Amino acid sequence: MLSACRLSVGRGATRRGLLGLLAAAALLIGTFGQPAPAAAEEKLKVAAVFETPIEEPWVNQIHVALEKAKTEHGIDYAYSESVKSADFERVMREYAEKGYKLITGDAFGAERIARKVAKDYPDVAFVFGSGIGPAEPNFGVFDNWIHEPAYLSGLIAGKMTKTKVVGAVAAMPIPEVNRLVNAFCAGAKEANPEVKCKFSFIGSFFDPPKAKEAALAQIESGVDVIFAERFGVVEAAVEKKVLAISNMSDQSSLGPDTVITGPVWDMSPTVNQMIKLVKAGVFTAQDFGGFSTMSKGGSYLAPYHKFDALLPAEVKDLVARKTTDIMDGTYRVDVDESIPKSE
């Protein structure tokens, strides 16, 4: 580089001028002698589109996992909540046009819309909660396959009920809901063959007042342990001082004297896999549902909290044994997606 920098100093050059030229040369040498700084790795832009408010437990678990991924995977995460079906397409397209390479969320009520948009952006990975299979080339699906901890919760309910009547208040009789309440009832009946199960469906994924009303009706009919498949049920259980099983997240704080435990859906294994594939440029349309099972770390039973000291040892031992059997593959919880009938 020095050979390219010819410094010519005439007789009339001052000492100050010479020093200035030497300084400029030194600066030039320093600039060209060092490699250019490496460009910062561009963050993967991930967006989520949710039909319900972020407080709804099903959606919240997805949101929590994506927030966690901001730190663990360095993603740029944005989301839209309470998006009506009429706006779903517009919101999805806006994210795709803004360069988001992974778009996720819940699409049960906007299934056709989500799939339609995905076809127009083949270079974007779309992964949505769905009861239907994936679609090539870029529409993946997931679901909350948490029937295993729902079954374990049922074992507890069957052992703890005094009236021998347990209940479940759920969204609507669709496969992904049916398999949870059926697993809960199966566990209760296994623990106590004399148990009867009652079921109520509120016809909505998020309507806490209606869920509470349905729960109160069940409690009045004799239910003394109730599965809060939907938000709002725990409030009724607290009010009437009966035991409750929460769903999707650890909801003990809503009723420390009421909520024994409940299935927890951990979306991190699913989210981690989606991000890994997109970053590697090898994403394909697939069903990510398996990452929600207990053996994959995608679901588990919430801590007992204060009920750790209240549950009989035989109940905790039963749940512990069944948990081990599920985790090592020696016991399989049946997937029953038929519409449940109250007894």
Side-chain angles (χ1 to χ4, degrees), residues 82-260:
S82 301
V83 180
K84 304 301 181 185
S85 293
D87 297 320
F88 216 85
E89 179 174 349
R90 173 184 57 80
V91 174
M92 286 183 67
R93 289 186 184 281
E94 286 177 353
Y95 280 126
E97 293 293 339
K98 290 177 181 177
Y100 285 83
K101 291 302 181 182
L102 171 59
I103 300 177
T104 186
D106 60 328
F108 290 98
E111 188 84 38
R112 293 182 180 178
I113 296 171
R115 291 171 183 267
K116 172 187 172 184
V117 174
K119 288 182 179 180
D120 292 339
Y121 298 93
D123 294 330
V124 177
F126 292 84
V127 187
F128 276 80
S130 170
I132 309 175
E136 295 292 347
N138 62 330
F139 192 89
V141 298
F142 62 83
D143 206 347
N144 62 333
W145 289 86
I146 60 175
H147 56 291
E148 295 164 326
Y151 159 80
L152 296 175
S153 298
L155 292 175
I156 297 170
K159 289 293 187 181
M160 298 301 290
T161 178
K162 292 182 173 59
T163 64
K164 298 179 183 178
V165 184
V166 303
V169 175
M172 53 196 74
I174 56 178
E176 51 270 22
V177 172
N178 294 345
R179 64 173 173 258
L180 299 188
V181 296
N182 282 331
F184 170 77
C185 183
K189 285 180 171 294
E190 182 179 325
N192 185 346
E194 296 181 9
V195 162
K196 294 185 182 302
C197 301
K198 292 186 178 295
F199 306 96
S200 299
F201 298 95
I202 64 172
S204 171
F205 288 118
F206 190 72
D207 191 338
K210 193 169 184 178
K212 179 182 178 181
E213 181 183 348
L216 289 172
Q218 283 199 3
I219 294 168
E220 287 297 320
S221 71
V223 168
D224 65 347
V225 185
I226 192 164
F227 179 25
E229 199 275 332
R230 287 296 109 182
F231 214 51
V233 176
V234 170
E235 186 178 349
V238 170
E239 188 176 301
K240 293 298 183 178
K241 295 181 172 55
V242 301
L243 298 175
I245 300 295
S246 59
N247 191 38
M248 239 74 80
S249 60
D250 181 358
Q251 298 171 18
S252 175
S253 62
L254 299 179
D257 299 320
T258 296
V259 179
I260 304 173

